[in-house]
Amino acid sequence: MKIAGLSLAALLLGALSFTAPAAQASSLYQDLGEQRGIELLMEEMLFNIADDRRIRHHFVETDMAHLHQMLSEQICELAGGPCVYSGEEMVESHTGLDISRGDFNALVEALQLAMDDNDIPVGVQNRLLALLAPMHHEIVNL
Ligand code: HEM
């Protein structure tokens, strides 16, 4: 029993030494440049959307300053930052907007372009995209 106890302790210690570096690793929030970095990314993404003929028509009646504020809060919260998203649920805000899978992909491209332009490493980009990808069920409605 003693041996079993010892090996359990060793196992726990081993597990701790494995998890410690992960706990110290920077959060996605930090890797995106914290609140200011995320605000800049969202601003640039919205400019890219405005330049994109495939999807810009969706936003002609949108209050872009408000959308920028909501996106910045949402991404900050999703990335583990200290923000609290105060906007609508995704289904609620996108119902009736006739958003296709292609539209969704175009928006993701606009975000990727913004991240590339801000020298966000691909690994960090992928961590953010992995959080957004599952939302397509709530947003795509065509
Ligand atoms: C992961 C992808 C997306 C995320 C995270 C997202 C997030 C958001 C957020 C946070 C809002 C603001 C909600 C509020 O006002 O409370 C919003 C609104 C909006 N989104 Fe998205 N969205 C996504 C994809 C798309 C796509 C693909 C389109 C169209 C091409 C789109 C078009 C819009 C429009 C037009 C509004 C404003 C609606 C209004 O004026 O009330 N979104 N979205």
Side-chain angles (χ1 to χ4, degrees), residues 69-78 83-87:
Q69 170 72 28
M70 291 303 102
L71 283 166
S72 299
E73 281 180 13
Q74 187 191 36
I75 300 302
C76 169
E77 184 181 285
L78 268 177
C83 319
V84 178
Y85 173 58
S86 62

Side-chain angles (χ1 to χ4, degrees), residues 58-59 62 66-67 71 74 85 87-88 90 94 99 104 139:
H58 283 286
F59 297 86
T62 299
H66 176 74
L67 180 58
L71 283 166
Q74 187 191 36
Y85 173 58
E88 295 174 349
M90 290 299 90
H94 298 91
I99 298 173
F104 188 89
I139 290 167

